[in-house]
Amino acid sequence: MHLSSRLLAAALPFAASLVHAQGNNTNYTTGLVAALNSVGLTSLAAALNSPAVPPALLSALQQGNHTVFAPNNAALGAVDPSALANLANILAYHVTAGHVDVESLKENTTTVVRSSLSAEPAVLLPANQSQVIVLSKATNGTLILENDDRNVHTSTNATYQNLQVFVVDRVLRIPGNFSSVVAGQTELSALAGAVTAALPDLVPTLTRAKGLTLFAPVNSAIQAVSEQLGQVNASTLTSILLNHLINGTAVYSTQITEGSNLNLTSAGGSPTTFVSNSSGVFVTSGSSTAKIVKANVLTSNGVIHLIDRVLLNTDSNPGQASSAAASYSSVQASQTSSQTGAVTAGPGTGAAGSLILGGG
């Protein structure tokens, strides 16, 4: 299936930028076109043959090693024409710095890596942090990208000079804003309804925040304590909700499991701790503990982890909450360069590791 002429025209700036970034090196261009054709990416290869040299998109691609998750012809042909205005962002979300070493990945274990997409308003993460991609390795050894409740499969793995190319069967969807992501999770309808009824300004406030982590109780968890929640006043309910939230930083599952002694402070000012064992990953606030039943639901400004119980912690310490948020922001603001690689370091460090990625 070939790209429509409209999509092909929109793709030309990106394709030509790859050539432009290499100083119009004819050998590089010829080799890259051949490499793309060899793995069946004829639509992208055709775009590379365009004489147009627009302003470079992703001009840093030639600097060091990169992995490109390249949609096949059918995937590109299926792109909604209305999304073409965001094509530059879509393509940036398919590129990571470094090469992914599939052999070093453990089967059925999640890895989170930074993409090249960091432009606002598509990404509202704190300080120089780009949006992430969630990866896993299937039992047959292939790489899978977990994207918007879909498994995006990779096939051919090819290389060309500094580029490693994985062909993917779908175009990755860029994570939406907080409110749209919550609305799209059917298991969070009870939470969304309760919050909207009691605290109508909270969801819009969280949607505008730069950096957040929400441990969100699923419908059955809300229903199990609905009578208790119905008896508390707005102030107490606010305290309970804020103790499900980490303000100012996105904490992905790999940061939790890599450090089971991780200690954070909630937006309610209470300690939030984690335990990872053979039964799963658990989060504790006050005297309440819940299991993470679905991790890494990405938003434009953070991440949501679905949990099986409500954390009924009514403690409130605004001073401690403000201090913790300021600490996260201060450390992250000190990061003056874009972060790349696998996300394994704890929040507050603002760092990304190199667990599976080899830099250039």
Side-chain angles (χ1 to χ4, degrees), residues 67 69 96 99-102 105-114 132-138 142-147 151-152 154 166 168 172 253-254 296 298 341-342 356-357:
T67 295
F69 298 105
T96 70
H99 288 171
V100 176
D101 181 7
V102 180
L105 296 178
K106 296 180 180 178
E107 291 182 1
N108 301 317
T109 299
T110 296
T111 298
V112 178
V113 299
R114 297 279 179 195
V132 302
I133 301 173
V134 181
L135 312 174
S136 64
K137 181 180 176 180
T142 61
L143 191 65
I144 294 175
L145 284 62
E146 301 171 15
N147 175 252
N151 285 338
V152 178
T154 64
F166 288 92
V168 294
L172 299 181
S253 67
T254 49
N296 301 320
L298 305 179
I356 64 163
L357 301 179

mmCIF file of all heavy atoms in Angstrom, residues 67 69 96 99-102 105-114 132-138 142-147 151-152 154 166 168 172 253-254 296 298 341-342 356-357:
data_model
loop_
_atom_site.group_PDB
_atom_site.id
_atom_site.type_symbol
_atom_site.label_atom_id
_atom_site.label_comp_id
_atom_site.label_asym_id
_atom_site.label_seq_id
_atom_site.Cartn_x
_atom_site.Cartn_y
_atom_site.Cartn_z
ATOM 1 N N THR A 67 18.066 4.921 17.025
ATOM 2 C CA THR A 67 17.161 3.854 16.628
ATOM 3 C C THR A 67 15.920 4.487 16.039
ATOM 4 O O THR A 67 15.348 5.416 16.619
ATOM 5 C CB THR A 67 16.781 2.973 17.831
ATOM 6 O OG1 THR A 67 17.945 2.305 18.314
ATOM 7 C CG2 THR A 67 15.737 1.938 17.441
ATOM 8 N N PHE A 69 12.104 3.630 14.710
ATOM 9 C CA PHE A 69 10.988 2.696 14.582
ATOM 10 C C PHE A 69 10.193 3.148 13.369
ATOM 11 O O PHE A 69 9.404 4.096 13.433
ATOM 12 C CB PHE A 69 10.144 2.686 15.855
ATOM 13 C CG PHE A 69 10.906 2.222 17.065
ATOM 14 C CD1 PHE A 69 11.328 3.114 18.039
ATOM 15 C CD2 PHE A 69 11.252 0.885 17.205
ATOM 16 C CE1 PHE A 69 12.047 2.695 19.134
ATOM 17 C CE2 PHE A 69 11.982 0.445 18.300
ATOM 18 C CZ PHE A 69 12.386 1.356 19.270
ATOM 19 N N THR A 96 14.751 7.226 18.852
ATOM 20 C CA THR A 96 15.417 7.294 20.152
ATOM 21 C C THR A 96 16.921 7.418 19.925
ATOM 22 O O THR A 96 17.444 7.017 18.886
ATOM 23 C CB THR A 96 15.156 6.045 21.014
ATOM 24 O OG1 THR A 96 15.856 4.928 20.445
ATOM 25 C CG2 THR A 96 13.691 5.719 21.090
ATOM 26 N N HIS A 99 21.348 2.714 20.213
ATOM 27 C CA HIS A 99 20.862 1.505 19.564
ATOM 28 C C HIS A 99 20.256 0.574 20.606
ATOM 29 O O HIS A 99 20.842 0.369 21.669
ATOM 30 C CB HIS A 99 22.000 0.781 18.834
ATOM 31 C CG HIS A 99 22.447 1.484 17.591
ATOM 32 N ND1 HIS A 99 23.568 1.105 16.881
ATOM 33 C CD2 HIS A 99 21.932 2.555 16.926
ATOM 34 C CE1 HIS A 99 23.716 1.910 15.841
ATOM 35 N NE2 HIS A 99 22.736 2.790 15.849
ATOM 36 N N VAL A 100 19.096 0.031 20.310
ATOM 37 C CA VAL A 100 18.429 -0.905 21.213
ATOM 38 C C VAL A 100 19.050 -2.290 21.070
ATOM 39 O O VAL A 100 19.051 -2.868 19.980
ATOM 40 C CB VAL A 100 16.919 -0.975 20.923
ATOM 41 C CG1 VAL A 100 16.252 -2.022 21.817
ATOM 42 C CG2 VAL A 100 16.267 0.389 21.131
ATOM 43 N N ASP A 101 19.582 -2.798 22.154
ATOM 44 C CA ASP A 101 20.185 -4.133 22.161
ATOM 45 C C ASP A 101 19.140 -5.144 22.626
ATOM 46 O O ASP A 101 18.951 -5.379 23.816
ATOM 47 C CB ASP A 101 21.400 -4.147 23.097
ATOM 48 C CG ASP A 101 22.100 -5.499 23.126
ATOM 49 O OD1 ASP A 101 21.723 -6.386 22.325
ATOM 50 O OD2 ASP A 101 23.005 -5.679 23.964
ATOM 51 N N VAL A 102 18.434 -5.725 21.664
ATOM 52 C CA VAL A 102 17.338 -6.637 21.988
ATOM 53 C C VAL A 102 17.842 -7.853 22.761
ATOM 54 O O VAL A 102 17.165 -8.374 23.652
ATOM 55 C CB VAL A 102 16.603 -7.073 20.702
ATOM 56 C CG1 VAL A 102 15.463 -8.033 21.033
ATOM 57 C CG2 VAL A 102 16.064 -5.853 19.963
ATOM 58 N N LEU A 105 17.749 -7.574 26.535
ATOM 59 C CA LEU A 105 16.469 -7.406 27.211
ATOM 60 C C LEU A 105 15.963 -8.738 27.759
ATOM 61 O O LEU A 105 16.124 -9.785 27.125
ATOM 62 C CB LEU A 105 15.430 -6.837 26.243
ATOM 63 C CG LEU A 105 15.670 -5.437 25.699
ATOM 64 C CD1 LEU A 105 14.563 -5.076 24.718
ATOM 65 C CD2 LEU A 105 15.744 -4.416 26.807
ATOM 66 N N LYS A 106 15.318 -8.688 28.911
ATOM 67 C CA LYS A 106 14.691 -9.873 29.470
ATOM 68 C C LYS A 106 13.292 -10.023 28.896
ATOM 69 O O LYS A 106 12.593 -9.034 28.674
ATOM 70 C CB LYS A 106 14.614 -9.761 30.997
ATOM 71 C CG LYS A 106 15.962 -9.713 31.688
ATOM 72 C CD LYS A 106 15.785 -9.600 33.196
ATOM 73 C CE LYS A 106 17.131 -9.540 33.908
ATOM 74 N NZ LYS A 106 16.970 -9.387 35.373
ATOM 75 N N GLU A 107 12.881 -11.250 28.657
ATOM 76 C CA GLU A 107 11.554 -11.490 28.104
ATOM 77 C C GLU A 107 10.473 -11.008 29.067
ATOM 78 O O GLU A 107 10.570 -11.179 30.282
ATOM 79 C CB GLU A 107 11.356 -12.989 27.820
ATOM 80 C CG GLU A 107 12.205 -13.504 26.673
ATOM 81 C CD GLU A 107 11.962 -14.969 26.384
ATOM 82 O OE1 GLU A 107 11.108 -15.574 27.086
ATOM 83 O OE2 GLU A 107 12.608 -15.511 25.476
ATOM 84 N N ASN A 108 9.442 -10.394 28.491
ATOM 85 C CA ASN A 108 8.273 -9.930 29.236
ATOM 86 C C ASN A 108 8.622 -8.960 30.362
ATOM 87 O O ASN A 108 7.930 -8.892 31.380
ATOM 88 C CB ASN A 108 7.497 -11.126 29.793
ATOM 89 C CG ASN A 108 7.022 -12.059 28.705
ATOM 90 O OD1 ASN A 108 6.535 -11.625 27.671
ATOM 91 N ND2 ASN A 108 7.187 -13.361 28.925
ATOM 92 N N THR A 109 9.705 -8.236 30.197
ATOM 93 C CA THR A 109 10.103 -7.216 31.160
ATOM 94 C C THR A 109 10.068 -5.856 30.476
ATOM 95 O O THR A 109 10.615 -5.680 29.390
ATOM 96 C CB THR A 109 11.518 -7.483 31.704
ATOM 97 O OG1 THR A 109 11.525 -8.749 32.372
ATOM 98 C CG2 THR A 109 11.948 -6.407 32.684
ATOM 99 N N THR A 110 9.437 -4.910 31.127
ATOM 100 C CA THR A 110 9.257 -3.590 30.526
ATOM 101 C C THR A 110 10.548 -2.771 30.559
ATOM 102 O O THR A 110 11.292 -2.795 31.534
ATOM 103 C CB THR A 110 8.154 -2.825 31.282
ATOM 104 O OG1 THR A 110 6.914 -3.522 31.115
ATOM 105 C CG2 THR A 110 8.009 -1.407 30.758
ATOM 106 N N THR A 111 10.781 -2.056 29.489
ATOM 107 C CA THR A 111 11.856 -1.067 29.410
ATOM 108 C C THR A 111 11.242 0.241 28.920
ATOM 109 O O THR A 111 10.403 0.241 28.012
ATOM 110 C CB THR A 111 12.959 -1.517 28.438
ATOM 111 O OG1 THR A 111 13.533 -2.739 28.915
ATOM 112 C CG2 THR A 111 14.049 -0.470 28.338
ATOM 113 N N VAL A 112 11.637 1.344 29.525
ATOM 114 C CA VAL A 112 11.135 2.660 29.141
ATOM 115 C C VAL A 112 12.305 3.478 28.614
ATOM 116 O O VAL A 112 13.332 3.607 29.289
ATOM 117 C CB VAL A 112 10.472 3.382 30.331
ATOM 118 C CG1 VAL A 112 10.006 4.780 29.931
ATOM 119 C CG2 VAL A 112 9.297 2.564 30.865
ATOM 120 N N VAL A 113 12.170 4.011 27.401
ATOM 121 C CA VAL A 113 13.256 4.796 26.796
ATOM 122 C C VAL A 113 12.726 6.162 26.359
ATOM 123 O O VAL A 113 11.532 6.330 26.085
ATOM 124 C CB VAL A 113 13.868 4.072 25.576
ATOM 125 C CG1 VAL A 113 14.466 2.739 25.983
ATOM 126 C CG2 VAL A 113 12.844 3.877 24.463
ATOM 127 N N ARG A 114 13.636 7.126 26.302
ATOM 128 C CA ARG A 114 13.277 8.465 25.858
ATOM 129 C C ARG A 114 13.267 8.529 24.329
ATOM 130 O O ARG A 114 14.194 8.065 23.680
ATOM 131 C CB ARG A 114 14.290 9.481 26.374
ATOM 132 C CG ARG A 114 14.347 9.605 27.886
ATOM 133 C CD ARG A 114 13.267 10.472 28.426
ATOM 134 N NE ARG A 114 13.322 10.555 29.888
ATOM 135 C CZ ARG A 114 12.341 11.008 30.635
ATOM 136 N NH1 ARG A 114 11.208 11.414 30.062
ATOM 137 N NH2 ARG A 114 12.456 11.068 31.947
ATOM 138 N N VAL A 132 8.357 9.407 26.425
ATOM 139 C CA VAL A 132 8.959 8.079 26.475
ATOM 140 C C VAL A 132 8.213 7.094 25.580
ATOM 141 O O VAL A 132 7.074 7.318 25.171
ATOM 142 C CB VAL A 132 9.014 7.535 27.914
ATOM 143 C CG1 VAL A 132 9.802 8.472 28.820
ATOM 144 C CG2 VAL A 132 7.607 7.296 28.464
ATOM 145 N N ILE A 133 8.889 5.986 25.287
ATOM 146 C CA ILE A 133 8.323 4.836 24.593
ATOM 147 C C ILE A 133 8.496 3.633 25.504
ATOM 148 O O ILE A 133 9.554 3.456 26.115
ATOM 149 C CB ILE A 133 9.030 4.589 23.250
ATOM 150 C CG1 ILE A 133 8.907 5.812 22.339
ATOM 151 C CG2 ILE A 133 8.465 3.355 22.551
ATOM 152 C CD1 ILE A 133 9.730 5.706 21.062
ATOM 153 N N VAL A 134 7.470 2.812 25.613
ATOM 154 C CA VAL A 134 7.516 1.618 26.455
ATOM 155 C C VAL A 134 7.767 0.395 25.577
ATOM 156 O O VAL A 134 7.031 0.144 24.621
ATOM 157 C CB VAL A 134 6.206 1.451 27.249
ATOM 158 C CG1 VAL A 134 6.282 0.215 28.144
ATOM 159 C CG2 VAL A 134 5.930 2.699 28.094
ATOM 160 N N LEU A 135 8.818 -0.343 25.907
ATOM 161 C CA LEU A 135 9.224 -1.516 25.126
ATOM 162 C C LEU A 135 9.133 -2.782 25.969
ATOM 163 O O LEU A 135 9.240 -2.746 27.192
ATOM 164 C CB LEU A 135 10.680 -1.375 24.660
ATOM 165 C CG LEU A 135 11.145 -0.082 23.999
ATOM 166 C CD1 LEU A 135 12.643 -0.147 23.761
ATOM 167 C CD2 LEU A 135 10.406 0.132 22.689
ATOM 168 N N SER A 136 8.986 -3.909 25.289
ATOM 169 C CA SER A 136 9.121 -5.205 25.941
ATOM 170 C C SER A 136 9.591 -6.222 24.906
ATOM 171 O O SER A 136 9.493 -5.979 23.698
ATOM 172 C CB SER A 136 7.807 -5.662 26.583
ATOM 173 O OG SER A 136 6.809 -5.862 25.602
ATOM 174 N N LYS A 137 10.104 -7.330 25.381
ATOM 175 C CA LYS A 137 10.603 -8.382 24.502
ATOM 176 C C LYS A 137 9.698 -9.600 24.623
ATOM 177 O O LYS A 137 9.488 -10.123 25.721
ATOM 178 C CB LYS A 137 12.041 -8.746 24.887
ATOM 179 C CG LYS A 137 12.688 -9.807 24.025
ATOM 180 C CD LYS A 137 14.105 -10.057 24.515
ATOM 181 C CE LYS A 137 14.806 -11.173 23.764
ATOM 182 N NZ LYS A 137 16.179 -11.389 24.277
ATOM 183 N N ALA A 138 9.146 -10.034 23.503
ATOM 184 C CA ALA A 138 8.243 -11.187 23.493
ATOM 185 C C ALA A 138 9.029 -12.478 23.690
ATOM 186 O O ALA A 138 10.256 -12.518 23.557
ATOM 187 C CB ALA A 138 7.473 -11.238 22.175
ATOM 188 N N THR A 142 11.175 -11.128 19.706
ATOM 189 C CA THR A 142 10.936 -9.888 18.973
ATOM 190 C C THR A 142 10.632 -8.746 19.927
ATOM 191 O O THR A 142 10.183 -8.948 21.056
ATOM 192 C CB THR A 142 9.770 -10.043 17.982
ATOM 193 O OG1 THR A 142 8.576 -10.373 18.708
ATOM 194 C CG2 THR A 142 10.070 -11.132 16.964
ATOM 195 N N LEU A 143 10.845 -7.537 19.450
ATOM 196 C CA LEU A 143 10.621 -6.341 20.239
ATOM 197 C C LEU A 143 9.195 -5.854 20.016
ATOM 198 O O LEU A 143 8.707 -5.812 18.891
ATOM 199 C CB LEU A 143 11.612 -5.261 19.810
ATOM 200 C CG LEU A 143 11.725 -4.004 20.672
ATOM 201 C CD1 LEU A 143 12.261 -4.356 22.058
ATOM 202 C CD2 LEU A 143 12.639 -2.984 19.992
ATOM 203 N N ILE A 144 8.519 -5.502 21.110
ATOM 204 C CA ILE A 144 7.159 -4.994 21.055
ATOM 205 C C ILE A 144 7.125 -3.614 21.690
ATOM 206 O O ILE A 144 7.715 -3.381 22.746
ATOM 207 C CB ILE A 144 6.175 -5.935 21.789
ATOM 208 C CG1 ILE A 144 6.085 -7.273 21.064
ATOM 209 C CG2 ILE A 144 4.788 -5.297 21.905
ATOM 210 C CD1 ILE A 144 5.229 -8.293 21.774
ATOM 211 N N LEU A 145 6.431 -2.678 21.055
ATOM 212 C CA LEU A 145 6.222 -1.354 21.606
ATOM 213 C C LEU A 145 4.804 -1.287 22.162
ATOM 214 O O LEU A 145 3.838 -1.574 21.442
ATOM 215 C CB LEU A 145 6.414 -0.282 20.531
ATOM 216 C CG LEU A 145 7.844 0.064 20.109
ATOM 217 C CD1 LEU A 145 8.565 -1.130 19.501
ATOM 218 C CD2 LEU A 145 7.849 1.229 19.132
ATOM 219 N N GLU A 146 4.683 -0.962 23.436
ATOM 220 C CA GLU A 146 3.380 -0.875 24.095
ATOM 221 C C GLU A 146 2.899 0.570 23.966
ATOM 222 O O GLU A 146 3.438 1.467 24.595
ATOM 223 C CB GLU A 146 3.493 -1.300 25.550
ATOM 224 C CG GLU A 146 4.012 -2.737 25.706
ATOM 225 C CD GLU A 146 4.347 -3.106 27.139
ATOM 226 O OE1 GLU A 146 3.924 -2.362 28.056
ATOM 227 O OE2 GLU A 146 5.033 -4.119 27.343
ATOM 228 N N ASN A 147 1.870 0.761 23.148
ATOM 229 C CA ASN A 147 1.481 2.122 22.782
ATOM 230 C C ASN A 147 -0.030 2.279 22.785
ATOM 231 O O ASN A 147 -0.725 1.659 21.994
ATOM 232 C CB ASN A 147 2.055 2.444 21.387
ATOM 233 C CG ASN A 147 1.606 3.791 20.854
ATOM 234 O OD1 ASN A 147 0.792 3.873 19.932
ATOM 235 N ND2 ASN A 147 2.117 4.866 21.423
ATOM 236 N N ASN A 151 -0.335 -3.312 21.211
ATOM 237 C CA ASN A 151 1.000 -3.860 21.016
ATOM 238 C C ASN A 151 1.412 -3.624 19.569
ATOM 239 O O ASN A 151 0.788 -4.134 18.639
ATOM 240 C CB ASN A 151 1.033 -5.352 21.326
ATOM 241 C CG ASN A 151 1.001 -5.631 22.812
ATOM 242 O OD1 ASN A 151 1.344 -4.780 23.630
ATOM 243 N ND2 ASN A 151 0.575 -6.828 23.183
ATOM 244 N N VAL A 152 2.449 -2.806 19.397
ATOM 245 C CA VAL A 152 2.966 -2.517 18.060
ATOM 246 C C VAL A 152 4.167 -3.422 17.827
ATOM 247 O O VAL A 152 5.158 -3.355 18.559
ATOM 248 C CB VAL A 152 3.367 -1.035 17.936
ATOM 249 C CG1 VAL A 152 3.957 -0.750 16.561
ATOM 250 C CG2 VAL A 152 2.158 -0.133 18.206
ATOM 251 N N THR A 154 7.392 -5.253 15.920
ATOM 252 C CA THR A 154 8.520 -4.965 15.037
ATOM 253 C C THR A 154 8.855 -6.218 14.237
ATOM 254 O O THR A 154 8.623 -7.336 14.685
ATOM 255 C CB THR A 154 9.760 -4.518 15.832
ATOM 256 O OG1 THR A 154 10.201 -5.600 16.674
ATOM 257 C CG2 THR A 154 9.457 -3.311 16.703
ATOM 258 N N PHE A 166 14.047 -0.479 13.020
ATOM 259 C CA PHE A 166 13.065 -1.535 13.262
ATOM 260 C C PHE A 166 11.810 -1.175 12.485
ATOM 261 O O PHE A 166 11.275 -0.070 12.642
ATOM 262 C CB PHE A 166 12.713 -1.646 14.750
ATOM 263 C CG PHE A 166 13.786 -2.228 15.611
ATOM 264 C CD1 PHE A 166 14.706 -1.404 16.230
ATOM 265 C CD2 PHE A 166 13.873 -3.601 15.820
ATOM 266 C CE1 PHE A 166 15.697 -1.924 17.044
ATOM 267 C CE2 PHE A 166 14.867 -4.134 16.627
ATOM 268 C CZ PHE A 166 15.782 -3.298 17.241
ATOM 269 N N VAL A 168 7.969 -1.233 11.976
ATOM 270 C CA VAL A 168 6.810 -1.427 12.845
ATOM 271 C C VAL A 168 5.541 -1.451 12.021
ATOM 272 O O VAL A 168 5.459 -0.845 10.942
ATOM 273 C CB VAL A 168 6.729 -0.329 13.937
ATOM 274 C CG1 VAL A 168 7.903 -0.448 14.897
ATOM 275 C CG2 VAL A 168 6.694 1.063 13.329
ATOM 276 N N LEU A 172 3.005 4.967 15.804
ATOM 277 C CA LEU A 172 2.838 5.196 17.234
ATOM 278 C C LEU A 172 1.978 6.428 17.483
ATOM 279 O O LEU A 172 2.134 7.460 16.833
ATOM 280 C CB LEU A 172 4.197 5.387 17.899
ATOM 281 C CG LEU A 172 5.181 4.219 17.810
ATOM 282 C CD1 LEU A 172 6.478 4.575 18.538
ATOM 283 C CD2 LEU A 172 4.582 2.947 18.376
ATOM 284 N N SER A 253 7.363 2.755 35.645
ATOM 285 C CA SER A 253 7.457 1.472 36.357
ATOM 286 C C SER A 253 8.892 1.014 36.538
ATOM 287 O O SER A 253 9.230 0.398 37.561
ATOM 288 C CB SER A 253 6.659 0.399 35.606
ATOM 289 O OG SER A 253 7.251 0.118 34.347
ATOM 290 N N THR A 254 9.749 1.315 35.572
ATOM 291 C CA THR A 254 11.139 0.879 35.678
ATOM 292 C C THR A 254 11.863 1.583 36.822
ATOM 293 O O THR A 254 12.786 1.033 37.417
ATOM 294 C CB THR A 254 11.884 1.151 34.363
ATOM 295 O OG1 THR A 254 11.643 2.507 33.951
ATOM 296 C CG2 THR A 254 11.404 0.218 33.266
ATOM 297 N N ASN A 296 2.249 2.399 33.462
ATOM 298 C CA ASN A 296 2.741 3.190 32.324
ATOM 299 C C ASN A 296 1.670 3.581 31.316
ATOM 300 O O ASN A 296 1.837 3.419 30.106
ATOM 301 C CB ASN A 296 3.874 2.443 31.612
ATOM 302 C CG ASN A 296 5.049 2.155 32.521
ATOM 303 O OD1 ASN A 296 5.428 2.981 33.336
ATOM 304 N ND2 ASN A 296 5.615 0.959 32.395
ATOM 305 N N LEU A 298 0.633 6.472 29.589
ATOM 306 C CA LEU A 298 1.345 7.721 29.377
ATOM 307 C C LEU A 298 0.401 8.883 29.081
ATOM 308 O O LEU A 298 -0.614 8.723 28.402
ATOM 309 C CB LEU A 298 2.331 7.570 28.216
ATOM 310 C CG LEU A 298 3.343 6.424 28.310
ATOM 311 C CD1 LEU A 298 4.231 6.406 27.072
ATOM 312 C CD2 LEU A 298 4.188 6.530 29.582
ATOM 313 N N GLY A 341 18.149 7.677 26.452
ATOM 314 C CA GLY A 341 18.451 6.359 26.992
ATOM 315 C C GLY A 341 17.303 5.751 27.769
ATOM 316 O O GLY A 341 16.175 6.244 27.776
ATOM 317 N N ALA A 342 17.602 4.655 28.458
ATOM 318 C CA ALA A 342 16.607 3.937 29.243
ATOM 319 C C ALA A 342 16.356 4.665 30.557
ATOM 320 O O ALA A 342 17.283 5.129 31.212
ATOM 321 C CB ALA A 342 17.090 2.513 29.512
ATOM 322 N N ILE A 356 19.981 -0.343 27.931
ATOM 323 C CA ILE A 356 19.909 -1.081 26.668
ATOM 324 C C ILE A 356 20.397 -0.263 25.491
ATOM 325 O O ILE A 356 20.393 -0.741 24.368
ATOM 326 C CB ILE A 356 18.476 -1.542 26.379
ATOM 327 C CG1 ILE A 356 17.547 -0.324 26.190
ATOM 328 C CG2 ILE A 356 17.960 -2.455 27.438
ATOM 329 C CD1 ILE A 356 16.252 -0.667 25.529
ATOM 330 N N LEU A 357 20.786 0.953 25.725
ATOM 331 C CA LEU A 357 21.125 1.812 24.601
ATOM 332 C C LEU A 357 22.611 2.121 24.588
ATOM 333 O O LEU A 357 23.188 2.479 25.599
ATOM 334 C CB LEU A 357 20.334 3.130 24.666
ATOM 335 C CG LEU A 357 18.819 2.976 24.650
ATOM 336 C CD1 LEU A 357 18.170 4.335 24.751
ATOM 337 C CD2 LEU A 357 18.354 2.278 23.399
#
